[in-house]
């Protein structure tokens, strides 16, 4: 990942995922639908009907994570070894192993999402959210360690990336208790877009400057403009999110005014461990109240 491509490819994946989530969130807002278990428009039932039920987000995470692992290993000429053969032995390729760990977590998160949505009898949202939160907790620890030998422009670029990861980790943690909240879903989508676009920008700042001249670590103006560019990314991604919502609203209102969404007939998603028990207790209490009412009526 310590190359131009190593920053741009993960950034493009995160940006694409953020744009996809923006479309999903916009659709859910327009139709007052659920963010976790959205309804789907009626489609013909045939041999291709199962394709609409595939977790494309999880599949994309799995494929992207696997591809990035292969790319990271192939970038090491002599092979990605853990320790050398000298005495005493020393650890080798510290940053590369951190990158591989990040990509393994991305692949694991994608596999969990596919299993939860497509293989389990009912979707387990806490499992999906928990895996995603674990991924970002580990990612934050790795990034903090990753910048130990950085300075100047590179340190500023990665510090702003760490800020986005920290905010995203906090939002995802809160979503464990409020998974179907509109405001948190919008913030999560925006942060994914910012993280992706900033990684792409970081590739150009650190490895391929547009001017053809490297950024200067001892120039305070260069360091200040890194933060300025980051603020521009925040504003542009916010406008992009608003634009996607506007285009989605215009499209559904003008081209599909009679399009009525039908709820999915799959098993309901499993969002809380206390839900079934709480319903059972309510039924028992209601039956006891009914019995007491009957006894009071039958007594003279």
């Amino acid at each position: 990942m310590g190359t131009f491509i190593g920053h741009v490819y993960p950034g493009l994946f995160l940006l694409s995922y953020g744009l996809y989530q923006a479309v999903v969130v916009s659709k859910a807002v327009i139709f007052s639908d659920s963010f976790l278990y959205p309804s789907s428009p009626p489609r013909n039932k045939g041999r291709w009907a199962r394709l609409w039920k595939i977790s494309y987000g999880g599949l994309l995470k799995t494929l992207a994570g696997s591809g990035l692992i292969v790319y990271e290993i192939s970038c090491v000429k002599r092979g990605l070894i853990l320790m050398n053969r000298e005495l005493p032995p020393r650890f080798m390729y510290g940053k590369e192993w951190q990158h591989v760990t990040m990509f393994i977590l991305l692949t694991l998160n994608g596999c969990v999402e596919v299993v939860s949505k497509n293989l389990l009898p009912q979707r387990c949202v806490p499992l999906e959210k928990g895996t995603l939160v674990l991924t970002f907790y580990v990612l934050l620890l790795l990034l903090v360690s990753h910048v130990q030998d950085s300075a100047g422009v590179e340190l500023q670029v990665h510090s702003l990336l760490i800020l986005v990861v920290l905010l995203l980790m906090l939002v995802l943690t809160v979503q464990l208790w409020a998974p179907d909240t509109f405001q948190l879903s919008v913030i999560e989508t925006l942060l994914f877009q910012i993280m992706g676009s900033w990684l792409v920008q970081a590739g150009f700042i650190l490895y391929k400057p547009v001017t053809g001249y490297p950024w200067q670590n001892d120039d305070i103006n260069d360091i200040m403009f890194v933060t300025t560019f980051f603020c521009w990314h925040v504003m542009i991604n916010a406008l992009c999110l608003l634009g996607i919502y506007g285009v989605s609203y215009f499209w559904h209102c003008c081209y599909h005014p009679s399009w009525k969404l039908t709820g999915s007939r799959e098993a309901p998603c499993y969002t809380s461990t206390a839900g079934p028990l709480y319903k059972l207790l309510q039924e028992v209490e209601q039956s006891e109240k009914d019995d007491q009412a009957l006894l009071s009526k039958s007594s003279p």
Side-chain angles (χ1 to χ4, degrees):
M1 192 174 173
T3 61
F4 174 76
I5 296 178
H7 282 76
V8 171
Y9 280 3
L12 290 176
F13 161 73
L14 290 170
L15 182 60
S16 302
Y17 180 77
L19 295 175
Y20 166 76
Q21 285 295 109
V23 175
V24 173
V25 171
S26 299
K27 173 188 168 184
V29 172
I30 292 171
F31 292 99
S32 299
D33 205 357
S34 172
F35 297 103
L36 295 176
Y37 213 63
S39 303
S40 57
R43 297 184 177 95
N44 296 328
K45 296 181 179 180
R47 64 177 64 183
W48 306 108
R50 294 181 61 87
L51 290 177
W52 298 108
K53 303 177 182 180
I54 295 177
S55 174
Y56 292 106
L59 186 61
L60 181 62
K61 291 178 184 179
T62 304
L63 295 177
S66 303
L68 290 171
I69 291 173
V70 174
Y71 171 77
E72 189 67 34
I73 295 176
S74 63
C75 288
V76 182
K77 296 181 179 180
R78 298 181 179 180
L80 189 61
I81 59 175
L82 184 62
M83 302 181 73
N84 58 19
R85 297 181 180 180
E86 299 177 358
L87 293 177
R90 300 293 183 184
F91 288 105
M92 302 288 291
Y93 306 111
K95 288 191 174 183
E96 286 76 8
W97 277 109
Q98 288 186 343
H99 297 157
V100 171
T101 304
M102 298 176 190
F103 301 147
I104 289 176
L105 287 171
L106 176 63
T107 306
L108 177 63
N109 180 247
C111 293
V112 169
E113 189 171 327
V114 171
V115 170
S116 175
K117 290 183 178 180
N118 299 120
L119 299 180
L120 293 181
Q122 60 182 11
R123 181 181 175 186
C124 185
V125 175
L127 178 62
E128 298 176 31
K129 293 294 184 180
T131 308
L132 187 59
V133 170
L134 175 64
T135 300
F136 275 88
Y137 270 87
V138 176
L139 178 61
L140 181 63
L141 293 175
L142 292 175
L143 285 176
V144 170
S145 172
H146 205 66
V147 298
Q148 294 298 321
D149 59 345
S150 302
V153 173
E154 183 180 0
L155 179 60
Q156 187 71 6
V157 168
H158 285 92
S159 297
L160 294 171
L161 180 63
I162 290 174
L163 175 62
V164 178
V165 173
L166 175 62
L167 294 175
L168 194 49
M169 183 193 72
L170 294 176
V171 171
L172 294 173
T173 303
V174 176
Q175 280 186 330
L176 290 175
W177 288 271
D180 206 7
T181 306
F182 160 69
Q183 293 86 349
L184 293 178
S185 298
V186 173
I187 296 174
E188 176 194 353
T189 302
L190 178 61
L191 290 175
F192 268 115
Q193 291 179 220
I194 296 173
M195 186 177 176
S197 64
W198 186 243
L199 268 176
V200 175
Q201 179 72 64
F204 283 97
I205 291 176
L206 299 177
Y207 301 101
K208 286 189 178 181
V210 178
T211 60
Y213 296 94
W215 291 56
Q216 301 300 317
N217 291 328
D218 56 352
D219 190 346
I220 188 63
N221 287 318
D222 284 5
I223 297 176
M224 291 177 66
F225 263 98
V226 170
T227 306
T228 303
F229 287 155
F230 178 80
C231 295
W232 291 355
H233 276 265
V234 174
M235 293 186 293
I236 292 173
N237 281 289
L239 291 174
C240 182
L241 181 59
L242 185 61
I244 290 175
Y245 173 78
V247 171
S248 300
Y249 184 84
F250 177 78
W251 175 265
H252 290 300
C253 290
C254 296
Y255 291 94
H256 298 281
S258 60
W259 187 18
K260 295 181 180 180
L261 294 178
T262 58
S264 176
R265 297 184 179 180
E266 299 176 358
C269 61
Y270 181 69
T271 58
S272 175
T273 56
L277 180 59
Y278 180 72
K279 291 181 179 180
L280 180 61
L281 291 175
Q282 281 187 327
E283 294 176 358
V284 172
E285 290 178 357
Q286 185 64 32
S287 63
E288 290 179 354
K289 291 180 180 179
D290 294 339
D291 293 341
Q292 290 178 0
L294 291 175
L295 291 175
S296 62
K297 289 181 180 180
S298 61
S299 61

